[in-house]
Amino acid sequence: MHINTQFNRVSNVMRTALFTTGLLLLSAVQAQTQTQAQTQAATLIQNVRVFDGEKMLTTRHVLINQGKIVNANFKGKITSDMQLVDGTGRSLLPGLIDAHVHAFQDQDLPLLFGVTTQIDMFSPVAAMQDMHQRRQKPNNPNNANSANGSDVFSAGILATAPKGHGTEYGMEIETLTKPEQAQAWVDRRIAEGSHFIKIVMEQGGIGFHFNSLDLATVQALIKASHARHKLAVVHISTYADAKAALAAGADGLVHLFNGTAITPAQIQELVQLAKTHHAFVIPTFSVLESIAGIKAKDVLADNNMLQLLGKNQLMPLNTTYGMEVKQELLNAPKQLTAALHQAKIAVLAGTDAGNRGTQYGISLHHELAALVQAGMSPSAALQAATSAPARAFQLKDRGRVQNGYKADLLLVDGDPSADISSTRRIVEIWKNGNIVSPLRTQKIQQVAEENSRKKSAIDLPADGRISLFSASKFASPFGYGWMASTDAPMGGKSAVELSAADADIAGQTSLMIKATINPGFAFPWAGVVFFPSSQPMQPADLSNANTLKFKVKGDGKSYNVGFTMQGSYIPLNQRFTAGAEWQEISLSFKQFKGLDASIVTMLSFNAGPDAGTYQLQIADVRLLKE
């Protein structure tokens, strides 16, 4: 994951719930389709163009039965017990494979967009084992994944250094510090059920730092993985680390890197290393664009796609990490992707879904378009989401329309080998031979009902004031109220002390925030939060306001004020400076890029991420309509 902003404020209980919610969502729709696998007759898809995973074939009939492709070019007699599907003017594809996700929530979505398989790059052990068990027992009546969810293959816990990338999420991570630990570490992951090994080379970026594994340990991890016949893939975010990982024999890079320029010599060096070591590359344009402040406008403008996303599911797709659009940052990954493809290096379609600017399933359709924009043909982009990831991750039963393969299929209007956007014109999806359209219909109805419900925006006080501070209490006119917040739930060591202080220029009692920011978490913070709902982390509709105003006084240092929305634990922040004299700060909601005021879970005022002591007073916090 690429996260370059102050990270989530979520307790251990909340975090555990987040990783299991996506799986539990599937069981809600399970009863509707569980009997299909046992009762469904053979299905014949007639007169359909077939993209077999490598190329588009001429019109033919495809017969599926008992969860398998029985005949990919059926020429036999049509019998009365066959279910016939008209493929005229349509194209049949293998079910799509997203080669880079973090499958911790919203797992009702991927299959609805034709993504029948996901490669998960980091999950807690229990969640990984549950996902794998569901995949391995598709006919279990209690297995929601048999018809209602995508198959997930996971790396489980990643290989990282102490205080390295991956440790910032508050989970227990077994880290490494030296090469001698590599083989035992890899063996423990394999015993837990990791399908492959993911290794992190990441030093951080502007405003944050990670410890990274040294090259000797990375080399040892790759060697240890290969000794057990497991793939070793590497997370990188710079040219130097990409070069080092490929030279060390990595089987794949799970990201490319942003950059305004890359030299021909650098491109050639990476291409040659990838070719020498038979490595694949997953560019993850969806998240690289998010870091560059670019939204996936193609799918965000597609109402047929958006009708499957609830408001809280739309929010991550509509929010980016970068606060300013910087198209030039995509110059390097685009040029490198084109060169890799030209050199016949396997380029895989992966979204890094689970991050800002992405959403499961729908983002893969954008990723296909991004690969085409980077210089790949539509057919090559389709390969990148079907046969190429199946081959790279050694998934021998999917990614192709061939006899004996899983009947995980996607039927679309038009010809996506000529127009890649045709993948978004979904007619039908099959998972293990079962049709998915009833689930799509149900989801569309649920979203429509949600959107049609009358808004229940909170009636704000006439003066908009939500800070009712006094010497005895930090109260509010609605919601759960104000409370201290630190990075402790994420393993951080920062601290905060709250107290009533002198009145501001308008005579309102102020809240004194004394914070100590200590290293220990990648994005340390300490401060105060306001929960507008009656329960912490539940959404509240603040759309009766469009402006946040507050008064501040402090030590001359910079602070963050931010809104957090349902479906995310990463606040949309604005920086402000608290000088020695009281001043009023006014911020339009529009300044919080991507804010949907109807699903706000908290408002926060925080010190950090720079280490040190901080002293801030806030008063007269108001939500106003202006």
Side-chain angles (χ1 to χ4, degrees):
M1 293 185 190
H2 288 264
I3 296 178
N4 56 358
T5 186
Q6 183 187 11
F7 198 69
N8 49 338
R9 302 159 173 78
V10 55
S11 68
N12 289 326
V13 173
M14 292 177 185
R15 186 170 54 252
T16 301
L18 184 63
F19 273 99
T20 58
T21 296
L23 297 173
L24 293 176
L25 281 171
L26 297 175
S27 62
V29 294
Q30 176 179 331
Q32 179 177 335
T33 59
Q34 276 302 322
T35 59
Q36 291 179 349
Q38 303 301 324
T39 62
Q40 189 179 64
T43 298
L44 185 65
I45 308 165
Q46 298 178 289
N47 303 312
V48 68
R49 279 184 300 263
V50 174
F51 181 80
D52 70 350
E54 298 290 339
K55 59 185 179 298
M56 189 67 79
L57 305 175
T58 56
T59 300
R60 58 195 59 208
H61 304 329
V62 177
L63 182 66
I64 64 176
N65 195 15
Q66 298 298 310
K68 300 288 185 181
I69 299 170
V70 176
N71 194 325
N73 189 14
F74 180 75
K75 297 180 181 178
K77 181 180 178 180
I78 298 175
T79 60
S80 60
D81 61 341
M82 290 180 179
Q83 295 184 359
L84 304 181
V85 177
D86 184 14
T88 305
R90 297 166 174 171
S91 299
L92 187 68
L93 321 174
L96 302 179
I97 302 173
D98 192 331
H100 187 145
V101 305
H102 298 276
F104 62 91
Q105 63 179 357
D106 292 325
Q107 288 301 290
D108 61 325
L109 291 178
L111 184 60
L112 303 182
F113 291 101
V115 176
T116 56
T117 301
Q118 297 181 103
I119 308 299
D120 174 76
M121 289 290 169
F122 174 33
S123 279
V125 174
M128 172 193 66
Q129 292 173 342
D130 188 42
M131 290 185 288
H132 287 184
Q133 183 180 33
R134 290 169 180 268
R135 187 193 74 244
Q136 292 163 357
K137 298 180 179 179
N139 295 321
N140 183 344
N142 296 317
N143 182 3
N145 202 44
S146 65
N148 301 345
S150 65
D151 289 343
V152 183
F153 296 83
S154 180
I157 297 301
L158 42 68
T160 192
K163 297 183 181 178
H165 181 43
T167 64
E168 70 269 31
Y169 305 107
M171 296 184 297
E172 184 177 349
I173 302 289
E174 182 185 358
T175 58
L176 299 91
T177 58
K178 53 188 177 181
E180 293 78 10
Q181 299 170 315
Q183 191 65 68
W185 188 96
V186 166
D187 290 346
R188 283 190 288 274
R189 301 294 78 77
I190 294 172
E192 291 166 352
S194 293
H195 184 74
F196 58 96
I197 302 300
K198 181 184 176 184
I199 303 164
V200 174
M201 299 181 75
E202 173 69 68
Q203 287 80 34
I206 298 173
F208 67 101
H209 171 76
F210 288 119
N211 293 334
S212 185
L213 295 169
D214 61 39
L215 183 56
T217 303
V218 171
Q219 291 170 330
L221 283 163
I222 293 171
K223 183 178 179 180
S225 302
H226 291 170
R228 299 294 187 258
H229 307 289
K230 290 291 183 181
L231 295 175
V233 302
V234 184
H235 164 110
I236 58 89
S237 61
T238 66
Y239 162 77
D241 283 344
K243 177 181 174 181
L246 290 172
D251 295 294
L253 301 181
V254 300
H255 292 289
L256 283 181
F257 47 88
N258 279 346
T260 58
I262 184 169
T263 69
Q266 289 175 325
I267 291 174
Q268 183 56 36
E269 193 161 25
L270 293 182
V271 167
Q272 189 57 51
L273 283 168
K275 183 177 291 188
T276 299
H277 295 282
H278 306 287
F280 58 82
V281 175
I282 312 172
T284 61
F285 278 108
S286 295
V287 81
L288 296 183
E289 290 174 3
S290 175
I291 294 168
I294 300 166
K295 294 183 180 181
K297 292 182 179 179
D298 52 351
V299 292
L300 283 169
D302 191 326
N303 291 330
N304 286 329
M305 301 288 273
L306 296 186
Q307 65 182 337
L308 287 159
L309 299 180
K311 183 174 286 189
N312 63 311
Q313 294 174 326
L314 177 61
M315 183 275 298
L317 185 64
N318 204 27
T319 309
T320 59
Y321 285 125
M323 295 296 103
E324 298 179 11
V325 175
K326 297 181 178 179
Q327 288 278 358
E328 64 275 12
L329 289 178
L330 297 178
N331 292 346
K334 284 184 175 181
Q335 292 174 38
L336 187 50
T337 296
L340 290 164
H341 173 59
Q342 186 67 27
K344 302 188 184 309
I345 306 300
V347 175
L348 314 186
T351 63
D352 209 358
N355 281 285
R356 273 189 191 171
T358 69
Q359 185 52 278
Y360 304 98
I362 189 172
S363 284
L364 190 58
H365 295 271
H366 172 72
E367 189 74 22
L368 293 174
L371 292 175
V372 172
Q373 290 172 1
M376 295 174 63
S377 69
S379 287
L382 293 174
Q383 290 178 34
T386 54
S387 63
R391 186 163 47 248
F393 285 93
Q394 302 170 3
L395 311 178
K396 298 180 180 179
D397 61 349
R398 67 197 68 212
R400 300 295 302 271
V401 179
Q402 286 189 352
N403 295 354
Y405 275 59
K406 282 169 62 72
D408 290 358
L409 299 165
L410 172 62
L411 181 66
V412 301
D413 268 331
D415 181 357
S417 69
D419 176 5
I420 196 64
S421 69
S422 297
T423 64
R424 304 202 298 263
R425 299 198 286 272
I426 295 172
V427 176
E428 185 56 271
I429 302 159
W430 289 266
K431 178 66 170 67
N432 294 325
N434 300 315
I435 60 171
V436 177
S437 51
L439 298 179
R440 284 172 56 86
T441 299
Q442 184 180 54
K443 179 67 172 182
I444 290 168
Q445 292 172 344
Q446 289 174 346
V447 172
E449 290 172 5
E450 174 190 324
N451 292 338
S452 67
R453 291 189 194 116
K454 185 177 180 181
K455 287 186 177 181
S456 54
I458 291 173
D459 290 328
L460 300 172
D463 59 4
R465 187 174 293 116
I466 60 172
S467 57
L468 306 180
F469 303 148
S470 68
S472 61
K473 155 178 213 190
F474 306 131
S476 60
F478 59 87
Y480 191 81
W482 297 84
M483 62 184 296
S485 173
T486 74
D487 53 23
M490 308 306 297
K493 299 177 181 179
S494 300
V496 68
E497 176 185 337
L498 305 182
S499 61
D502 56 290
D504 69 357
I505 51 179
Q508 297 292 320
T509 299
S510 67
L511 172 63
M512 173 69 76
I513 303 168
K514 293 182 179 180
T516 302
I517 304 300
N518 294 315
F521 173 59
F523 310 102
W525 84 86
V528 65
V529 296
F530 168 67
F531 294 113
S533 179
S534 59
Q535 295 297 321
M537 300 310 299
Q538 293 301 303
D541 189 342
L542 301 182
S543 55
N544 278 337
N546 60 15
T547 303
L548 169 68
K549 288 188 176 182
F550 55 95
K551 297 184 178 72
V552 296
K553 184 172 79 168
D555 51 14
K557 295 182 179 180
S558 293
Y559 295 84
N560 287 311
V561 57
F563 288 100
T564 305
M565 295 178 290
Q566 184 183 25
S568 175
Y569 292 92
I570 306 172
L572 303 174
N573 282 326
Q574 288 290 313
R575 297 285 282 179
F576 67 89
T577 300
E581 302 297 329
W582 282 107
Q583 62 175 316
E584 183 176 71
I585 294 176
S586 178
L587 297 170
S588 166
F589 282 8
K590 292 181 180 179
Q591 293 175 255
F592 298 88
K593 186 179 178 183
L595 176 63
D596 183 340
S598 68
I599 51 171
V600 172
T601 55
M602 67 181 177
L603 169 66
S604 56
F605 293 84
N606 285 312
D610 294 335
T613 58
Y614 294 77
Q615 184 166 303
L616 167 71
Q617 288 175 254
I618 63 171
D620 196 20
V621 184
R622 288 174 289 158
L623 295 172
L624 301 167
K625 192 82 165 183
E626 291 189 342

mmCIF file of all heavy atoms in Angstrom, residues 18-19 84 120 137 143 194 205 225 271 373 404 420 538 563 572:
data_model
loop_
_atom_site.group_PDB
_atom_site.id
_atom_site.type_symbol
_atom_site.label_atom_id
_atom_site.label_comp_id
_atom_site.label_asym_id
_atom_site.label_seq_id
_atom_site.Cartn_x
_atom_site.Cartn_y
_atom_site.Cartn_z
ATOM 1 N N LEU A 18 -12.579 -4.656 10.661
ATOM 2 C CA LEU A 18 -12.380 -4.194 9.286
ATOM 3 C C LEU A 18 -11.919 -5.330 8.384
ATOM 4 O O LEU A 18 -12.398 -5.493 7.274
ATOM 5 C CB LEU A 18 -11.346 -3.076 9.289
ATOM 6 C CG LEU A 18 -11.054 -2.370 7.971
ATOM 7 C CD1 LEU A 18 -12.292 -1.665 7.467
ATOM 8 C CD2 LEU A 18 -9.919 -1.379 8.152
ATOM 9 N N PHE A 19 -11.024 -6.180 8.904
ATOM 10 C CA PHE A 19 -10.492 -7.254 8.079
ATOM 11 C C PHE A 19 -11.473 -8.395 7.895
ATOM 12 O O PHE A 19 -11.308 -9.213 7.007
ATOM 13 C CB PHE A 19 -9.195 -7.797 8.698
ATOM 14 C CG PHE A 19 -7.983 -7.040 8.271
ATOM 15 C CD1 PHE A 19 -7.439 -6.072 9.088
ATOM 16 C CD2 PHE A 19 -7.380 -7.278 7.059
ATOM 17 C CE1 PHE A 19 -6.320 -5.360 8.700
ATOM 18 C CE2 PHE A 19 -6.260 -6.560 6.660
ATOM 19 C CZ PHE A 19 -5.733 -5.607 7.475
ATOM 20 N N LEU A 84 -29.482 -21.700 -22.839
ATOM 21 C CA LEU A 84 -28.865 -21.008 -23.966
ATOM 22 C C LEU A 84 -28.686 -19.526 -23.654
ATOM 23 O O LEU A 84 -29.602 -18.868 -23.135
ATOM 24 C CB LEU A 84 -29.720 -21.184 -25.217
ATOM 25 C CG LEU A 84 -30.020 -22.643 -25.626
ATOM 26 C CD1 LEU A 84 -30.855 -22.663 -26.901
ATOM 27 C CD2 LEU A 84 -28.740 -23.439 -25.797
ATOM 28 N N ASP A 120 -3.937 -11.207 -3.190
ATOM 29 C CA ASP A 120 -3.863 -10.343 -2.007
ATOM 30 C C ASP A 120 -2.412 -10.245 -1.545
ATOM 31 O O ASP A 120 -1.749 -11.253 -1.323
ATOM 32 C CB ASP A 120 -4.738 -10.929 -0.895
ATOM 33 C CG ASP A 120 -4.597 -10.169 0.395
ATOM 34 O OD1 ASP A 120 -5.169 -9.075 0.496
ATOM 35 O OD2 ASP A 120 -3.901 -10.666 1.312
ATOM 36 N N LYS A 137 -12.864 -24.895 -0.830
ATOM 37 C CA LYS A 137 -14.067 -25.697 -0.631
ATOM 38 C C LYS A 137 -15.264 -25.010 -1.278
ATOM 39 O O LYS A 137 -16.192 -24.562 -0.601
ATOM 40 C CB LYS A 137 -14.318 -25.921 0.863
ATOM 41 C CG LYS A 137 -13.208 -26.696 1.558
ATOM 42 C CD LYS A 137 -13.498 -26.882 3.036
ATOM 43 C CE LYS A 137 -12.384 -27.676 3.712
ATOM 44 N NZ LYS A 137 -12.658 -27.846 5.167
ATOM 45 N N ASN A 143 -20.252 -21.976 2.503
ATOM 46 C CA ASN A 143 -19.138 -21.226 1.933
ATOM 47 C C ASN A 143 -19.662 -20.147 0.991
ATOM 48 O O ASN A 143 -20.038 -20.422 -0.137
ATOM 49 C CB ASN A 143 -18.208 -22.184 1.186
ATOM 50 C CG ASN A 143 -16.997 -21.459 0.604
ATOM 51 O OD1 ASN A 143 -16.830 -20.262 0.798
ATOM 52 N ND2 ASN A 143 -16.169 -22.202 -0.109
ATOM 53 N N SER A 194 0.817 -19.077 3.330
ATOM 54 C CA SER A 194 1.111 -18.054 2.325
ATOM 55 C C SER A 194 1.292 -18.700 0.960
ATOM 56 O O SER A 194 2.048 -19.663 0.813
ATOM 57 C CB SER A 194 2.384 -17.279 2.697
ATOM 58 O OG SER A 194 2.179 -16.515 3.874
ATOM 59 N N GLY A 205 8.684 8.512 2.008
ATOM 60 C CA GLY A 205 8.614 9.630 1.083
ATOM 61 C C GLY A 205 8.623 10.938 1.825
ATOM 62 O O GLY A 205 9.053 11.016 2.980
ATOM 63 N N SER A 225 12.814 -18.346 -0.448
ATOM 64 C CA SER A 225 11.524 -18.614 -1.091
ATOM 65 C C SER A 225 11.703 -19.616 -2.227
ATOM 66 O O SER A 225 10.924 -20.574 -2.368
ATOM 67 C CB SER A 225 10.923 -17.313 -1.633
ATOM 68 O OG SER A 225 10.761 -16.363 -0.608
ATOM 69 N N VAL A 271 14.663 -3.207 -17.913
ATOM 70 C CA VAL A 271 14.131 -4.172 -18.880
ATOM 71 C C VAL A 271 15.051 -5.378 -18.986
ATOM 72 O O VAL A 271 14.605 -6.537 -18.970
ATOM 73 C CB VAL A 271 13.944 -3.502 -20.258
ATOM 74 C CG1 VAL A 271 13.712 -4.556 -21.334
ATOM 75 C CG2 VAL A 271 12.774 -2.525 -20.222
ATOM 76 N N GLN A 373 -3.360 3.192 -22.244
ATOM 77 C CA GLN A 373 -2.828 4.559 -22.361
ATOM 78 C C GLN A 373 -1.306 4.575 -22.239
ATOM 79 O O GLN A 373 -0.642 5.469 -22.773
ATOM 80 C CB GLN A 373 -3.452 5.448 -21.287
ATOM 81 C CG GLN A 373 -4.926 5.731 -21.527
ATOM 82 C CD GLN A 373 -5.569 6.445 -20.357
ATOM 83 O OE1 GLN A 373 -4.918 6.761 -19.368
ATOM 84 N NE2 GLN A 373 -6.873 6.699 -20.466
ATOM 85 N N GLY A 404 -11.664 -27.731 -19.737
ATOM 86 C CA GLY A 404 -11.198 -28.155 -18.433
ATOM 87 C C GLY A 404 -10.906 -27.044 -17.458
ATOM 88 O O GLY A 404 -10.721 -27.293 -16.257
ATOM 89 N N ILE A 420 -11.053 -1.133 -25.236
ATOM 90 C CA ILE A 420 -10.884 -1.717 -23.908
ATOM 91 C C ILE A 420 -12.018 -1.338 -22.965
ATOM 92 O O ILE A 420 -12.330 -2.070 -22.021
ATOM 93 C CB ILE A 420 -9.511 -1.312 -23.311
ATOM 94 C CG1 ILE A 420 -9.155 -2.209 -22.127
ATOM 95 C CG2 ILE A 420 -9.498 0.154 -22.917
ATOM 96 C CD1 ILE A 420 -8.965 -3.660 -22.482
ATOM 97 N N GLN A 538 -19.041 5.900 13.706
ATOM 98 C CA GLN A 538 -20.252 5.736 12.903
ATOM 99 C C GLN A 538 -20.489 7.025 12.106
ATOM 100 O O GLN A 538 -20.167 8.113 12.572
ATOM 101 C CB GLN A 538 -21.455 5.416 13.782
ATOM 102 C CG GLN A 538 -21.366 4.057 14.458
ATOM 103 C CD GLN A 538 -21.240 2.940 13.459
ATOM 104 O OE1 GLN A 538 -22.085 2.776 12.573
ATOM 105 N NE2 GLN A 538 -20.177 2.145 13.589
ATOM 106 N N PHE A 563 -11.188 15.736 8.362
ATOM 107 C CA PHE A 563 -12.424 14.960 8.415
ATOM 108 C C PHE A 563 -12.118 13.524 7.965
ATOM 109 O O PHE A 563 -11.373 13.312 7.009
ATOM 110 C CB PHE A 563 -13.485 15.545 7.479
ATOM 111 C CG PHE A 563 -14.070 16.840 7.936
ATOM 112 C CD1 PHE A 563 -13.623 18.045 7.402
ATOM 113 C CD2 PHE A 563 -15.079 16.871 8.888
ATOM 114 C CE1 PHE A 563 -14.170 19.253 7.806
ATOM 115 C CE2 PHE A 563 -15.633 18.072 9.304
ATOM 116 C CZ PHE A 563 -15.186 19.264 8.763
ATOM 117 N N LEU A 572 -8.937 13.389 5.709
ATOM 118 C CA LEU A 572 -8.634 14.397 4.689
ATOM 119 C C LEU A 572 -8.179 15.640 5.437
ATOM 120 O O LEU A 572 -8.981 16.333 6.056
ATOM 121 C CB LEU A 572 -9.872 14.691 3.841
ATOM 122 C CG LEU A 572 -10.504 13.497 3.124
ATOM 123 C CD1 LEU A 572 -11.795 13.924 2.445
ATOM 124 C CD2 LEU A 572 -9.545 12.904 2.117
#
